[in-house]
Amino acid sequence: MKRIALVSALISLAAITAAYYSFPHLFKEPLVALNRTMSGLTEKTVTLDAHEIHYLEGGDGEPVVLLHGIFAEKDHWVDFARQLTGNYRIVAPDLPGFGESSRLTGQRYDYAAQTERLKSLLDALGIQRAHLAGNSMGGTIAAMFAIRYPERAASVALIGAPHGIRSSQLSKMDRLIDSGKAPLIANTPAEFDEMMSLVFAKRPFLPYPILNDAQKGAIRNAESNLRLWREQLKDRHMLHERIGELRVRTLALWGSHDQVFDASGADVLRRQVKDVDVRVIQGIGHLPMMEAPKDTSLIYADFLRAAVH
């Protein structure tokens, strides 16, 4: 009987494994939901100016708004947020044009438009003042919002290099852009893998159903993504010209192995931002909240405690 039970268990395991890789879409949503639950986050929606905005929310306390980078999405913050929902109200939106939120033909998704949409989102959620943290594009939106509306930004954290700083050393992505390429646009599985190697110094574990869904989405949206990429590229060094106007307390965590924006750009922040704590995180690439979520969130939690008191 024990042998029969063991054989049955092995057959069941083999069947589940085969389904996991053959029908990954069946597993994606349960895996995402489980991870959100572990961090105390739930998904919600709100409609603003014809855009349906999907966002994650959880926790109580002062509001902390987490803003993802270009072609990224809200769930990239879930592991990072796990250390924070016990003390803060966390809001992580899919910015308009990205993730599950609406992307509308004829709408602009440049920094000026996204900064105003962030204001509209905070208004809709009843948030008058928030701590803003962002990665890459999200970091730039956070900084531009704090410059435009300083009374509504309690602090700014750049969790990974922001877009728009002119580094003294060209990054790998800078060189690819200068050669006429769009390295964050993936038209094939091979290009998606190259993109992953560009943004990560050490890839985090991503369950196959989630990774497969991300790959298919990137390829499916490649043409539309290129339009947004070109909108961002016209503001390629905008933040470099404006960052000195930032007046709120600021944290900057820049990966030493960032191939998207070279770590020499951290020196610009040290020189130009009045109240900034700049740390170059060794061995980390462009997405520290995914590569080292616990370590970086603990640094951010310490920063928040100091900013609150």
Side-chain angles (χ1 to χ4, degrees), residues 59-114:
D60 294 300
E62 291 201 25
V64 174
V65 180
L66 305 175
L67 305 173
H68 62 74
I70 193 169
F71 311 135
E73 46 101 357
K74 60 188 178 300
D75 280 279
H76 291 178
W77 291 105
V78 171
D79 293 345
F80 178 91
R82 194 163 297 153
Q83 318 300 319
L84 303 172
T85 47
N87 297 297
Y88 302 96
R89 176 189 177 188
I90 302 299
V91 175
D94 277 337
L95 291 164
F98 300 95
E100 296 181 284
S101 293
S102 305
R103 179 183 296 186
L104 305 177
T105 302
Q107 290 287 324
R108 292 167 45 234
Y109 296 98
D110 58 9
Y111 284 113
Q114 296 290 59

Short mmCIF file of all heavy atoms in Angstrom, two decimals, residues 59-114:
data_model
loop_
_atom_site.label_atom_id
_atom_site.label_comp_id
_atom_site.label_asym_id
_atom_site.label_seq_id
_atom_site.Cartn_x
_atom_site.Cartn_y
_atom_site.Cartn_z
N GLY A 59 -1.64 48.13 4.65
CA GLY A 59 -0.97 48.74 5.79
C GLY A 59 -1.65 50.01 6.26
O GLY A 59 -2.56 50.54 5.62
N ASP A 60 -1.18 50.50 7.40
CA ASP A 60 -1.70 51.73 8.00
C ASP A 60 -0.54 52.62 8.42
O ASP A 60 0.55 52.13 8.72
CB ASP A 60 -2.56 51.40 9.23
CG ASP A 60 -3.82 50.66 8.86
OD1 ASP A 60 -4.63 51.21 8.09
OD2 ASP A 60 -4.00 49.52 9.34
N GLY A 61 -0.81 53.92 8.46
CA GLY A 61 0.21 54.87 8.87
C GLY A 61 0.41 55.93 7.80
O GLY A 61 -0.46 56.14 6.94
N GLU A 62 1.54 56.62 7.84
CA GLU A 62 1.81 57.64 6.83
C GLU A 62 1.87 57.01 5.45
O GLU A 62 2.41 55.92 5.28
CB GLU A 62 3.12 58.37 7.14
CG GLU A 62 3.05 59.25 8.36
CD GLU A 62 4.14 60.31 8.35
OE1 GLU A 62 4.63 60.68 7.26
OE2 GLU A 62 4.52 60.77 9.44
N PRO A 63 1.34 57.68 4.42
CA PRO A 63 1.33 57.10 3.08
C PRO A 63 2.73 57.03 2.46
O PRO A 63 3.51 57.98 2.54
CB PRO A 63 0.44 58.06 2.28
CG PRO A 63 -0.33 58.84 3.29
CD PRO A 63 0.57 58.95 4.48
N VAL A 64 3.02 55.91 1.85
CA VAL A 64 4.23 55.69 1.08
C VAL A 64 3.80 55.22 -0.30
O VAL A 64 3.10 54.21 -0.42
CB VAL A 64 5.15 54.64 1.74
CG1 VAL A 64 6.34 54.32 0.83
CG2 VAL A 64 5.64 55.13 3.10
N VAL A 65 4.19 55.94 -1.33
CA VAL A 65 3.79 55.63 -2.70
C VAL A 65 5.01 55.12 -3.46
O VAL A 65 6.04 55.79 -3.52
CB VAL A 65 3.19 56.87 -3.40
CG1 VAL A 65 2.78 56.54 -4.83
CG2 VAL A 65 1.98 57.38 -2.61
N LEU A 66 4.88 53.92 -4.05
CA LEU A 66 5.97 53.24 -4.73
C LEU A 66 5.72 53.28 -6.23
O LEU A 66 4.69 52.78 -6.71
CB LEU A 66 6.08 51.80 -4.25
CG LEU A 66 6.22 51.60 -2.73
CD1 LEU A 66 6.20 50.12 -2.37
CD2 LEU A 66 7.50 52.25 -2.22
N LEU A 67 6.66 53.85 -6.99
CA LEU A 67 6.47 54.09 -8.42
C LEU A 67 7.48 53.28 -9.24
O LEU A 67 8.70 53.45 -9.08
CB LEU A 67 6.65 55.58 -8.72
CG LEU A 67 5.76 56.53 -7.89
CD1 LEU A 67 6.14 57.98 -8.14
CD2 LEU A 67 4.28 56.30 -8.22
N HIS A 68 6.98 52.44 -10.11
CA HIS A 68 7.84 51.56 -10.90
C HIS A 68 8.49 52.28 -12.07
O HIS A 68 8.16 53.42 -12.40
CB HIS A 68 7.02 50.37 -11.41
CG HIS A 68 5.89 50.78 -12.33
ND1 HIS A 68 6.09 51.19 -13.64
CD2 HIS A 68 4.54 50.84 -12.13
CE1 HIS A 68 4.93 51.48 -14.19
NE2 HIS A 68 3.98 51.29 -13.30
N GLY A 69 9.40 51.59 -12.74
CA GLY A 69 10.10 52.13 -13.90
C GLY A 69 9.38 51.83 -15.20
O GLY A 69 8.30 51.21 -15.23
N ILE A 70 9.98 52.25 -16.31
CA ILE A 70 9.39 52.07 -17.63
C ILE A 70 9.26 50.57 -17.94
O ILE A 70 10.17 49.78 -17.67
CB ILE A 70 10.20 52.81 -18.71
CG1 ILE A 70 9.42 52.89 -20.01
CG2 ILE A 70 11.57 52.17 -18.91
CD1 ILE A 70 10.02 53.83 -21.04
N PHE A 71 8.10 50.19 -18.48
CA PHE A 71 7.76 48.82 -18.85
C PHE A 71 7.79 47.86 -17.65
O PHE A 71 7.87 46.65 -17.82
CB PHE A 71 8.68 48.30 -19.97
CG PHE A 71 8.81 49.25 -21.12
CD1 PHE A 71 10.04 49.54 -21.68
CD2 PHE A 71 7.68 49.88 -21.64
CE1 PHE A 71 10.15 50.44 -22.74
CE2 PHE A 71 7.78 50.79 -22.70
CZ PHE A 71 9.03 51.06 -23.25
N ALA A 72 7.71 48.42 -16.46
CA ALA A 72 7.62 47.62 -15.23
C ALA A 72 6.19 47.72 -14.71
O ALA A 72 5.29 48.23 -15.39
CB ALA A 72 8.63 48.11 -14.20
N GLU A 73 5.97 47.22 -13.49
CA GLU A 73 4.60 47.25 -12.96
C GLU A 73 4.61 47.12 -11.44
O GLU A 73 5.65 46.92 -10.82
CB GLU A 73 3.76 46.15 -13.61
CG GLU A 73 4.42 44.79 -13.70
CD GLU A 73 3.93 43.85 -12.63
OE1 GLU A 73 3.11 44.27 -11.79
OE2 GLU A 73 4.37 42.70 -12.61
N LYS A 74 3.42 47.27 -10.87
CA LYS A 74 3.25 47.41 -9.43
C LYS A 74 3.79 46.24 -8.64
O LYS A 74 4.31 46.41 -7.53
CB LYS A 74 1.77 47.63 -9.10
CG LYS A 74 0.85 46.49 -9.55
CD LYS A 74 -0.61 46.86 -9.38
CE LYS A 74 -1.54 45.77 -9.86
NZ LYS A 74 -1.38 45.42 -11.29
N ASP A 75 3.68 45.02 -9.15
CA ASP A 75 4.09 43.84 -8.38
C ASP A 75 5.59 43.73 -8.22
O ASP A 75 6.05 42.91 -7.43
CB ASP A 75 3.51 42.56 -9.02
CG ASP A 75 2.05 42.37 -8.64
OD1 ASP A 75 1.79 41.88 -7.53
OD2 ASP A 75 1.17 42.75 -9.44
N HIS A 76 6.35 44.54 -8.92
CA HIS A 76 7.80 44.55 -8.72
C HIS A 76 8.18 45.09 -7.34
O HIS A 76 9.33 44.95 -6.92
CB HIS A 76 8.48 45.37 -9.81
CG HIS A 76 8.41 44.72 -11.16
ND1 HIS A 76 8.92 45.31 -12.30
CD2 HIS A 76 7.89 43.52 -11.56
CE1 HIS A 76 8.71 44.51 -13.34
NE2 HIS A 76 8.09 43.42 -12.91
N TRP A 77 7.21 45.70 -6.64
CA TRP A 77 7.46 46.25 -5.31
C TRP A 77 6.99 45.34 -4.18
O TRP A 77 7.21 45.66 -3.00
CB TRP A 77 6.72 47.59 -5.16
CG TRP A 77 7.27 48.70 -5.99
CD1 TRP A 77 6.74 49.23 -7.13
CD2 TRP A 77 8.46 49.45 -5.74
NE1 TRP A 77 7.52 50.25 -7.60
CE2 TRP A 77 8.59 50.41 -6.76
CE3 TRP A 77 9.44 49.40 -4.73
CZ2 TRP A 77 9.64 51.32 -6.82
CZ3 TRP A 77 10.50 50.30 -4.79
CH2 TRP A 77 10.59 51.24 -5.82
N VAL A 78 6.33 44.24 -4.48
CA VAL A 78 5.63 43.48 -3.43
C VAL A 78 6.60 42.94 -2.37
O VAL A 78 6.34 43.07 -1.17
CB VAL A 78 4.80 42.34 -4.06
CG1 VAL A 78 4.25 41.43 -2.97
CG2 VAL A 78 3.65 42.93 -4.87
N ASP A 79 7.71 42.34 -2.77
CA ASP A 79 8.66 41.81 -1.79
C ASP A 79 9.29 42.94 -0.97
O ASP A 79 9.50 42.80 0.23
CB ASP A 79 9.76 41.00 -2.49
CG ASP A 79 9.22 39.73 -3.12
OD1 ASP A 79 8.10 39.32 -2.78
OD2 ASP A 79 9.93 39.13 -3.96
N PHE A 80 9.57 44.05 -1.61
CA PHE A 80 10.12 45.24 -0.94
C PHE A 80 9.14 45.76 0.10
O PHE A 80 9.52 46.13 1.22
CB PHE A 80 10.41 46.29 -2.01
CG PHE A 80 10.95 47.60 -1.51
CD1 PHE A 80 12.31 47.82 -1.41
CD2 PHE A 80 10.08 48.64 -1.18
CE1 PHE A 80 12.80 49.05 -0.98
CE2 PHE A 80 10.57 49.86 -0.75
CZ PHE A 80 11.94 50.06 -0.65
N ALA A 81 7.85 45.79 -0.26
CA ALA A 81 6.82 46.35 0.63
C ALA A 81 6.57 45.50 1.86
O ALA A 81 6.00 45.99 2.84
CB ALA A 81 5.52 46.54 -0.15
N ARG A 82 6.98 44.24 1.82
CA ARG A 82 6.68 43.32 2.93
C ARG A 82 7.22 43.83 4.26
O ARG A 82 6.64 43.56 5.32
CB ARG A 82 7.26 41.94 2.60
CG ARG A 82 6.75 40.81 3.47
CD ARG A 82 7.04 39.47 2.81
NE ARG A 82 6.32 39.37 1.54
CZ ARG A 82 6.72 38.62 0.52
NH1 ARG A 82 7.84 37.92 0.59
NH2 ARG A 82 5.99 38.59 -0.59
N GLN A 83 8.32 44.56 4.23
CA GLN A 83 8.92 45.08 5.46
C GLN A 83 8.25 46.38 5.92
O GLN A 83 8.59 46.89 7.00
CB GLN A 83 10.42 45.36 5.24
CG GLN A 83 11.17 44.29 4.47
CD GLN A 83 11.13 42.94 5.13
OE1 GLN A 83 11.25 42.85 6.35
NE2 GLN A 83 10.98 41.89 4.34
N LEU A 84 7.33 46.92 5.12
CA LEU A 84 6.82 48.27 5.38
C LEU A 84 5.35 48.34 5.75
O LEU A 84 4.92 49.29 6.42
CB LEU A 84 7.04 49.15 4.13
CG LEU A 84 8.49 49.26 3.62
CD1 LEU A 84 8.51 49.99 2.29
CD2 LEU A 84 9.36 49.96 4.65
N THR A 85 4.55 47.35 5.35
CA THR A 85 3.10 47.46 5.54
C THR A 85 2.70 47.41 7.02
O THR A 85 1.58 47.80 7.36
CB THR A 85 2.36 46.35 4.77
OG1 THR A 85 3.01 45.09 5.00
CG2 THR A 85 2.35 46.63 3.29
N GLY A 86 3.60 46.98 7.89
CA GLY A 86 3.27 46.98 9.31
C GLY A 86 3.26 48.37 9.92
O GLY A 86 2.66 48.58 10.99
N ASN A 87 3.89 49.35 9.23
CA ASN A 87 4.01 50.69 9.81
C ASN A 87 3.54 51.83 8.91
O ASN A 87 3.43 52.96 9.37
CB ASN A 87 5.49 50.96 10.16
CG ASN A 87 6.01 50.00 11.21
OD1 ASN A 87 5.53 49.97 12.34
ND2 ASN A 87 6.98 49.17 10.83
N TYR A 88 3.27 51.53 7.64
CA TYR A 88 2.92 52.58 6.70
C TYR A 88 1.76 52.12 5.80
O TYR A 88 1.54 50.93 5.60
CB TYR A 88 4.12 52.95 5.80
CG TYR A 88 5.31 53.41 6.60
CD1 TYR A 88 6.34 52.52 6.93
CD2 TYR A 88 5.40 54.72 7.06
CE1 TYR A 88 7.42 52.93 7.68
CE2 TYR A 88 6.48 55.14 7.81
CZ TYR A 88 7.49 54.24 8.13
OH TYR A 88 8.56 54.65 8.89
N ARG A 89 1.05 53.09 5.26
CA ARG A 89 0.05 52.82 4.23
C ARG A 89 0.78 52.79 2.89
O ARG A 89 1.27 53.82 2.41
CB ARG A 89 -1.03 53.91 4.22
CG ARG A 89 -2.06 53.74 3.11
CD ARG A 89 -2.96 54.97 3.02
NE ARG A 89 -3.90 54.85 1.91
CZ ARG A 89 -4.71 55.86 1.51
NH1 ARG A 89 -4.69 57.03 2.15
NH2 ARG A 89 -5.52 55.68 0.48
N ILE A 90 0.86 51.63 2.30
CA ILE A 90 1.59 51.46 1.05
C ILE A 90 0.62 51.52 -0.13
O ILE A 90 -0.42 50.86 -0.14
CB ILE A 90 2.34 50.11 1.03
CG1 ILE A 90 3.31 50.02 2.21
CG2 ILE A 90 3.05 49.91 -0.30
CD1 ILE A 90 4.39 51.07 2.23
N VAL A 91 0.98 52.32 -1.13
CA VAL A 91 0.24 52.39 -2.38
C VAL A 91 1.25 52.18 -3.51
O VAL A 91 2.22 52.93 -3.62
CB VAL A 91 -0.48 53.74 -2.55
CG1 VAL A 91 -1.15 53.83 -3.92
CG2 VAL A 91 -1.50 53.95 -1.44
N ALA A 92 1.01 51.18 -4.34
CA ALA A 92 1.91 50.88 -5.47
C ALA A 92 1.05 50.79 -6.73
O ALA A 92 0.41 49.77 -6.98
CB ALA A 92 2.67 49.59 -5.24
N PRO A 93 1.01 51.86 -7.53
CA PRO A 93 0.15 51.84 -8.73
C PRO A 93 0.88 51.28 -9.95
O PRO A 93 2.10 51.32 -10.05
CB PRO A 93 -0.16 53.32 -8.94
CG PRO A 93 1.08 54.02 -8.45
CD PRO A 93 1.58 53.18 -7.28
N ASP A 94 0.08 50.73 -10.87
CA ASP A 94 0.52 50.62 -12.25
C ASP A 94 0.31 52.01 -12.84
O ASP A 94 -0.83 52.46 -12.99
CB ASP A 94 -0.33 49.60 -13.02
CG ASP A 94 0.13 48.17 -12.82
OD1 ASP A 94 1.31 47.97 -12.46
OD2 ASP A 94 -0.70 47.26 -13.01
N LEU A 95 1.39 52.70 -13.13
CA LEU A 95 1.25 54.05 -13.68
C LEU A 95 0.48 53.99 -15.00
O LEU A 95 0.56 52.99 -15.73
CB LEU A 95 2.63 54.66 -13.89
CG LEU A 95 3.38 54.98 -12.59
CD1 LEU A 95 4.86 55.21 -12.84
CD2 LEU A 95 2.76 56.20 -11.90
N PRO A 96 -0.28 55.02 -15.31
CA PRO A 96 -1.02 55.03 -16.58
C PRO A 96 -0.10 54.71 -17.75
O PRO A 96 0.98 55.27 -17.88
CB PRO A 96 -1.55 56.47 -16.66
CG PRO A 96 -1.68 56.89 -15.22
CD PRO A 96 -0.52 56.25 -14.52
N GLY A 97 -0.55 53.77 -18.58
CA GLY A 97 0.26 53.35 -19.71
C GLY A 97 1.05 52.08 -19.46
O GLY A 97 1.65 51.54 -20.39
N PHE A 98 1.02 51.58 -18.21
CA PHE A 98 1.87 50.44 -17.86
C PHE A 98 1.08 49.41 -17.05
O PHE A 98 0.06 49.72 -16.44
CB PHE A 98 3.09 50.91 -17.08
CG PHE A 98 3.95 51.87 -17.84
CD1 PHE A 98 3.81 53.24 -17.68
CD2 PHE A 98 4.89 51.41 -18.76
CE1 PHE A 98 4.58 54.14 -18.39
CE2 PHE A 98 5.67 52.30 -19.48
CZ PHE A 98 5.52 53.66 -19.30
N GLY A 99 1.62 48.20 -17.02
CA GLY A 99 1.00 47.13 -16.25
C GLY A 99 -0.43 46.90 -16.70
O GLY A 99 -0.74 46.84 -17.89
N GLU A 100 -1.33 46.79 -15.72
CA GLU A 100 -2.75 46.56 -16.03
C GLU A 100 -3.53 47.85 -16.22
O GLU A 100 -4.71 47.81 -16.57
CB GLU A 100 -3.38 45.74 -14.90
CG GLU A 100 -2.82 44.34 -14.76
CD GLU A 100 -3.50 43.57 -13.64
OE1 GLU A 100 -3.19 43.85 -12.46
OE2 GLU A 100 -4.33 42.70 -13.95
N SER A 101 -2.90 48.99 -15.98
CA SER A 101 -3.59 50.26 -16.17
C SER A 101 -3.74 50.58 -17.66
O SER A 101 -3.02 50.04 -18.50
CB SER A 101 -2.84 51.39 -15.46
OG SER A 101 -2.90 51.22 -14.05
N SER A 102 -4.67 51.48 -17.97
CA SER A 102 -4.98 51.79 -19.37
C SER A 102 -3.79 52.45 -20.07
O SER A 102 -3.08 53.26 -19.49
CB SER A 102 -6.18 52.76 -19.44
OG SER A 102 -7.28 52.24 -18.74
N ARG A 103 -3.61 52.08 -21.33
CA ARG A 103 -2.71 52.77 -22.24
C ARG A 103 -3.56 53.19 -23.43
O ARG A 103 -4.05 52.35 -24.18
CB ARG A 103 -1.56 51.88 -22.69
CG ARG A 103 -0.61 52.57 -23.67
CD ARG A 103 0.50 51.64 -24.15
NE ARG A 103 1.37 51.22 -23.07
CZ ARG A 103 2.49 50.49 -23.25
NH1 ARG A 103 2.84 50.10 -24.46
NH2 ARG A 103 3.23 50.15 -22.22
N LEU A 104 -3.74 54.49 -23.62
CA LEU A 104 -4.71 54.99 -24.59
C LEU A 104 -4.01 55.65 -25.77
O LEU A 104 -3.08 56.45 -25.60
CB LEU A 104 -5.64 56.00 -23.92
CG LEU A 104 -6.38 55.50 -22.67
CD1 LEU A 104 -7.20 56.63 -22.06
CD2 LEU A 104 -7.25 54.31 -23.01
N THR A 105 -4.48 55.32 -26.95
CA THR A 105 -3.96 55.94 -28.17
C THR A 105 -4.23 57.44 -28.13
O THR A 105 -5.33 57.88 -27.78
CB THR A 105 -4.63 55.33 -29.41
OG1 THR A 105 -4.39 53.92 -29.42
CG2 THR A 105 -4.07 55.93 -30.69
N GLY A 106 -3.24 58.21 -28.47
CA GLY A 106 -3.40 59.66 -28.50
C GLY A 106 -3.08 60.35 -27.20
O GLY A 106 -2.99 61.59 -27.15
N GLN A 107 -2.89 59.59 -26.10
CA GLN A 107 -2.51 60.18 -24.82
C GLN A 107 -0.99 60.25 -24.70
O GLN A 107 -0.27 59.39 -25.22
CB GLN A 107 -3.07 59.35 -23.67
CG GLN A 107 -4.57 59.42 -23.51
CD GLN A 107 -5.03 60.75 -22.95
OE1 GLN A 107 -4.37 61.34 -22.10
NE2 GLN A 107 -6.17 61.23 -23.42
N ARG A 108 -0.50 61.27 -24.01
CA ARG A 108 0.93 61.41 -23.76
C ARG A 108 1.30 60.70 -22.46
O ARG A 108 0.53 60.73 -21.50
CB ARG A 108 1.32 62.89 -23.67
CG ARG A 108 1.20 63.63 -24.99
CD ARG A 108 1.28 65.14 -24.80
NE ARG A 108 2.34 65.53 -23.90
CZ ARG A 108 2.17 66.30 -22.82
NH1 ARG A 108 0.96 66.73 -22.50
NH2 ARG A 108 3.20 66.63 -22.07
N TYR A 109 2.49 60.11 -22.45
CA TYR A 109 2.97 59.44 -21.25
C TYR A 109 4.38 59.92 -20.90
O TYR A 109 5.20 59.17 -20.37
CB TYR A 109 2.92 57.92 -21.43
CG TYR A 109 1.50 57.42 -21.60
CD1 TYR A 109 0.98 57.18 -22.85
CD2 TYR A 109 0.67 57.27 -20.49
CE1 TYR A 109 -0.34 56.77 -23.01
CE2 TYR A 109 -0.65 56.86 -20.64
CZ TYR A 109 -1.14 56.61 -21.90
OH TYR A 109 -2.46 56.21 -22.04
N ASP A 110 4.64 61.19 -21.20
CA ASP A 110 5.94 61.77 -20.85
C ASP A 110 5.91 62.21 -19.39
O ASP A 110 4.91 62.05 -18.69
CB ASP A 110 6.29 62.93 -21.78
CG ASP A 110 5.25 64.04 -21.78
OD1 ASP A 110 4.32 64.01 -20.93
OD2 ASP A 110 5.34 64.94 -22.63
N TYR A 111 7.01 62.79 -18.91
CA TYR A 111 7.12 63.11 -17.49
C TYR A 111 6.14 64.19 -17.06
O TYR A 111 5.59 64.12 -15.96
CB TYR A 111 8.55 63.50 -17.15
CG TYR A 111 9.46 62.30 -17.08
CD1 TYR A 111 10.48 62.13 -18.01
CD2 TYR A 111 9.28 61.33 -16.11
CE1 TYR A 111 11.30 61.01 -17.96
CE2 TYR A 111 10.09 60.22 -16.05
CZ TYR A 111 11.10 60.06 -16.99
OH TYR A 111 11.89 58.95 -16.93
N ALA A 112 5.91 65.18 -17.89
CA ALA A 112 4.97 66.25 -17.52
C ALA A 112 3.58 65.67 -17.29
O ALA A 112 2.91 65.98 -16.30
CB ALA A 112 4.95 67.32 -18.60
N ALA A 113 3.13 64.81 -18.22
CA ALA A 113 1.80 64.23 -18.10
C ALA A 113 1.71 63.28 -16.91
O ALA A 113 0.73 63.29 -16.16
CB ALA A 113 1.44 63.49 -19.40
N GLN A 114 2.73 62.46 -16.71
CA GLN A 114 2.69 61.48 -15.62
C GLN A 114 2.76 62.15 -14.25
O GLN A 114 2.16 61.65 -13.28
CB GLN A 114 3.82 60.45 -15.78
CG GLN A 114 3.71 59.59 -17.04
CD GLN A 114 2.56 58.59 -16.99
OE1 GLN A 114 1.40 58.96 -16.84
NE2 GLN A 114 2.89 57.31 -17.10
#
